[in-house]
Structure formats: structure tokens, C-alpha cells
Amino acid sequence: MSRIRSVATSALEVNRRTVLAAAGAVSLSAGVGYALRPTDSEAATGTGDAPVAHSRQATAQAPLAPYTKGTTLASVAAPRNSSGYRRLGDGPGWKRVVREELATPKSGRANRRTPLAAFVQFTDLHLMDVQHPLRWEFLRSAQMQSWRPHEALTVPGAISLVERVNALKGAPVTGAPLHFVMTTGDNTDNNAHSELEWFMKVMSGGRITPNTGDPRHYEGVQNSGLKLYWQPDSTTRDSDKALGFPHLKGFLAAAIREVRSPGLKLPWYSTAGNHDALALGTYGSHGDRYLAEAAVAGRKLMNVPPADAKKVLDSINNATDPKGTGYRDFLKAHARSMRSVTPDEKRAPYTQADYLKAHLDPAHQGLGPVGHGYSSANLDAGTQYYAFRISDDVIGISIDTTDPGGHYTGSVGTAQLKWLDRTLKDNKDSYAVVFSHHTSKTMDNTRPDPARPTEKRHGGAEVLSVLGAHTNVLAWVNGHIHKNVITPHKASGGRSFWEISTASHVDYPHLARIVELVDNKDGTLSLFTTLIESAAPHRTDFADLSQTGLAALYRELAFNAPGASKALAGGTADRNAELVLRKG
């Protein structure tokens, strides 16, 4: 029998409030995993004890069976026509590829394997306040893909992903219960309070009105009359309609209409990304106050000459404006070109403390755990990293790779790197899965943290070195690059692990990933990765502007977005895979 910790219904009825508050336990339906958050002190500072497995008597479970319905093993959205604006429909599923770079798979393992853990990864949801005054949609005049025609639909799109996970009856390979969902950052897009509230409600449940400014109608680039942007409600012959994008009267009213999220039926944990920590995902939190004031003000820049847009784009890509002072000066210089919009305090940037408080708010607890991994000690210490127990045999570790000094690439400070090393050492008898936003190759930003100016910052190579020094590390799961990439890492002494980078849910093909950990009982372990799409149908109906219809349209518009990469699904070996490892 699996050593996945299970919870009996009767056990949940005993002192449930105390268990939730003290240990971070998650109340679930019988047979689904029990997660244990570490003590507050360890979560924040690393000075407390390591996560401890609290013994529980396993309850009887029904025989496990694979569950592939609703996964990309069964079907994947695919174009139905070959030119112009391409409509989507049901396509064939993606096969599973066995990856044996780190260990040789042994025959008969399917009959021997025992599940250790199973979870879902969300990443790069980019829930987006598309009417926000600071947004740089105007960069599209220099780079077409800098603005996406589907951006107004991020909320219904994310809700549909929640609905997909809720419909899963078990893990695709083992049929084991799913333990939790982990978000690996860029949950929001503009670092705005409005977006943070939407994210918390998408994940934990609630009614959401994805609109700011004027409550009666949309105010932004898509009803500006500018041909640079898709004008869905208008007959204007804009640049996207010239490519076949439809005229959809009522689209904008539908996009800002109230929607409802059922909330996840699993516990969920959170990891921050650069868009959750920095203005526009780029500008340091200690930058000029002008940007914070402009965020809630009533003026929005929608169009600039291509040469001017390229200057801003170059400053972003070349990391020459990490604090946003150059962007401040740019906005001031183009003040006369701005258009009036309705001011809204909800668009104010949120701080790290605001982010933590939102997770700790009982209104957003859903199925827990309390704080979704974060604790009051994180709030006191100003940290966003923690460890938690997934099952008897597996711990999870969430690290914070955002750099408060600015720019969209990442790093970690010395204190966090030492905490990571110590946590892995203290839990050497448990397998470990590490979560972050940035990938090992996108951690090259060593700007000092303004709150800790004397602390050294460390890049991806140093994180890889720490992970490779511990035989219990199985995987490093991350996002940021909006592309499926699975990378084997061989370390000294035969130690090895897999880096699993997953595509976003804002750029096509709009994916999340299920990860299953199994013991093959032959000296090897396997990590199974299975991609999932949202629950929205592949085929769209332009007359259907319901919540579900918008979620389907979200996917199709993203597929057709001008300039969008067609390679973000990755190769076949980066999608549905079996990743084999040697034990110990």
C-alpha cells in the first residue's frame, strides 16, 4: 500500500480548528492527502526544527486506477483550419515519453510501483487588470507580442483551470489522490491589489468582477479606436481583424462581468514570482513613488511612436532601469498623449506584507492550509520561503527567487540559501521537491535587496550546487519561461535530480502540470509529469460569451495572438514524461 498519508472522515471531526491553526493540517474528503506545514519559526527563518512526520493510522482505500480523462494524454486542443484565424477543436493526445538520462528503467516496474505523492502545479496565471494605467501595452508598436488580444480573459481562464483540477478523480498514472496544488509564481501581472484579490478568490472560491475604474464599462486599449489593438466590439479594421480576428459585439462587457470561482477542492500552496513582487514584474519595490501614484490615477498612456516604445523595451530587456526611474521620466515626457480613465485605489501596488496578509486572511483559506504555506513568522521576518510535509516520505520546499532590487530575472540571498541547505540536511530521510518561480538558467540577477543591502545574492548555478549535494532531492519545479522544459541534472557522487519547468496559463497552450512520485521497488524512482488544459471546450462559439464560453475563447485567441511563439509546448519529452531516478 502507498505510504501517502490519508485522512479518515472521523479524524477530521476531532478538534479540527486546533489542528488547522497549529499544524497547518488540511481537512479533506477521505482518502485525500494530509499536508503539514512546518512551525512558524522554521518557515520564516530556518531556525526552528525540521518538518516532522506526525504518524497516523492509514485508512482502507479502494484499489487505485489510472485517471487520464481531462488530461493531455486523452486530447489536446488543435487547429481545425490551416490558414488565417485558426479555429480550435479536439486533437489527439500527447504520448508519454520515458526519460532515462539519469537512470535506466527496469522492466516490470509498472506492476511494482508504489505511489509516494501526487500534486498539481499552476504557474504564470498572470491574472491581469487590463485597464491599469501603468501597463505598457504601447510596446506593441515596437514588438507585436508585447500585448496579447486575449489578456482581458485571464480570470475566467484561470477559473476554468480550477474547474479542471476539481474534476480529476485521481492521478493519471497511479490513480492516487492528489495532495495539493502549488502555484509557482506570477499569479498576478501588475502587482496590483485588484489582481491579488482576484487571485485569492480564483484559488479559494468567490465571486469576482474583473473590472476596475468605471464600474459601468471598460476603459482601455480595446475600445480606444486605436488600430494597433484588437477592437472586438467595433467594426474598425484594426491590425488584428486584418489577420482574421472576429468582430464580437458585447465582448468587453462580458469580459468585465462578474464571474464565480468554485475554489479548489484541494489544499493549495503559493510561491511568489517577479510579477507578484515588482511593479509590472520589473521595477523594484523601493523605486520612485511616482509609479505608485500613477497606478491609481486617472491617466493612461496607450500609444507612442515605435522608436519611443523600443527605448522602453530595450531598457526592460537590458535591465538598465531596475527601479523604474527611467519609466517614470518616460511617462512624464508623454503626459500630453495620455487619455483620461477613472481613477481607482484598488490598483495600488501591494507589498510583500500585503501578499502574505492576503494568504493568511481567513476569508481566503478555502481548503487550507492556513496561510497556504506562509505563516505569521514569514510576515514578521519579511521572508517568503517555507517547507511543508507532503506525505510520510516527501517534503516540499518553496523558495523565493524574486529580487526586490528590480528586473525580471531572479536570485536568492545568503540566508535563504543556507536555510535551503539546512532544511534538506535536516530532512535527509525524506525525499524533497523544491518549488520556485525562476528556472536555474533565469537566476542571474545579483542586485542587492534594498531591505538587506549587505547580503550577497546567489544565482541558479549556486542553487543547483546546493540541491545536487543532497541525495534526497528529486525535483526542482518552476515556471517563469512560459515553456515546457524538463532538464536532467547530474551532480557529483552520483546524485541527480530533474528540473521541471512548466508553460504558463496566459500564453498558448495554457497548461498546468500533474506530478506523481512513485517508488518502483527496484532501486529506482519515477516522476510522472502529465499536462492538463482548462475545462473549457476546445471548440469555441463566437455567440457564447458566458463564463465558460469566454474561457474557451481565451485559449483560441491566445493561439492566434500575433507574434506569439508556437514552441511553448516544448518537445514531446518535455510534456508527458516518466522521469527515472536512482534511489539514494
Side-chain angles (χ1 to χ4, degrees), residues 468-502:
H470 297 275
T471 58
N472 56 333
V473 176
L474 302 184
W476 180 3
V477 179
N478 50 45
H480 184 65
I481 57 175
H482 293 211
K483 183 178 182 179
N484 292 314
V485 179
I486 298 177
T487 306
H489 290 291
K490 294 182 179 180
S492 61
R495 299 177 178 91
S496 58
F497 62 93
W498 293 92
E499 183 173 357
I500 302 169
S501 306
T502 301

Side-chain angles (χ1 to χ4, degrees), residues 468-535:
H470 297 275
T471 58
N472 56 333
V473 176
L474 302 184
W476 180 3
V477 179
N478 50 45
H480 184 65
I481 57 175
H482 293 211
K483 183 178 182 179
N484 292 314
V485 179
I486 298 177
T487 306
H489 290 291
K490 294 182 179 180
S492 61
R495 299 177 178 91
S496 58
F497 62 93
W498 293 92
E499 183 173 357
I500 302 169
S501 306
T502 301
S504 75
H505 204 254
V506 69
D507 288 315
Y508 187 84
H510 287 186
L511 300 170
R513 197 189 293 264
I514 301 169
V515 179
E516 300 172 72
L517 283 58
V518 305
D519 186 340
N520 293 321
K521 300 297 184 180
D522 59 8
T524 68
L525 303 166
S526 288
L527 282 71
F528 290 95
T529 72
T530 307
L531 293 162
I532 55 174
E533 300 170 294
S534 78

Side-chain angles (χ1 to χ4, degrees), residues 142-406:
Q143 179 179 270
M144 185 61 72
Q145 61 268 34
S146 292
W147 177 80
R148 314 169 181 94
H150 56 282
E151 289 180 348
L153 302 180
T154 56
V155 171
I159 292 172
S160 187
L161 185 59
V162 167
E163 292 171 339
R164 166 62 69 211
V165 173
N166 287 349
L168 297 173
K169 304 301 183 185
V173 176
T174 64
L178 299 169
H179 280 70
F180 63 95
V181 174
M182 169 63 84
T183 74
T184 52
D186 283 5
N187 308 302
T188 65
D189 192 69
N190 303 306
N191 179 239
H193 272 282
S194 52
E195 297 167 339
L196 180 57
E197 178 184 352
W198 301 344
F199 166 64
M200 301 305 299
K201 288 184 176 180
V202 164
M203 300 295 283
S204 290
R207 296 187 179 277
I208 305 161
T209 302
N211 181 37
T212 56
D214 191 325
R216 299 166 298 178
H217 62 85
Y218 167 96
E219 300 173 304
V221 298
Q222 287 193 271
N223 68 350
S224 64
L226 295 168
K227 294 183 179 181
L228 180 63
Y229 311 102
W230 180 43
Q231 307 291 302
D233 284 71
S234 168
T235 57
T236 298
R237 185 69 172 171
D238 57 66
S239 60
D240 290 341
K241 289 202 190 80
L243 299 175
F245 273 69
H247 169 217
L248 296 179
K249 190 168 182 59
F251 174 88
L252 292 175
I256 62 173
R257 175 176 69 210
E258 182 185 84
V259 291
R260 180 187 175 277
S261 173
L264 285 162
K265 294 182 180 178
L266 292 173
W268 63 273
Y269 292 83
S270 190
T271 298
N274 53 291
H275 278 265
D276 303 311
L278 308 174
L280 301 176
T282 300
Y283 301 131
S285 58
H286 293 259
D288 193 284
R289 290 299 305 169
Y290 176 88
L291 295 182
E293 293 169 358
V296 301
R299 304 285 290 170
K300 180 175 174 65
L301 185 61
M302 301 186 188
N303 193 28
V304 300
D308 288 358
K310 187 176 185 305
K311 291 178 182 177
V312 176
L313 190 62
D314 288 346
S315 74
I316 297 165
N317 292 333
N318 298 328
T320 57
D321 188 26
K323 293 185 178 181
T325 53
Y327 189 45
R328 172 203 65 192
D329 295 341
F330 180 87
L331 292 176
K332 287 182 176 180
H334 289 81
R336 290 187 177 182
S337 300
M338 292 182 178
R339 298 190 180 194
S340 295
V341 295
T342 303
D344 196 330
E345 291 291 332
K346 292 193 296 291
R347 293 169 175 155
Y350 61 82
T351 64
Q352 182 187 84
D354 294 330
Y355 186 76
L356 294 171
K357 288 176 182 176
H359 284 75
L360 290 162
D361 187 342
H364 302 313
Q365 183 170 311
L367 286 181
V370 174
H372 303 289
Y374 301 119
S375 69
S376 58
N378 284 121
L379 190 58
D380 293 340
T383 60
Q384 291 186 130
Y385 49 89
Y386 59 90
F388 63 106
R389 183 155 292 282
I390 296 172
S391 66
D392 285 336
D393 300 305
V394 185
I395 64 165
I397 301 174
S398 172
I399 61 175
D400 177 13
T401 57
T402 62
D403 192 325

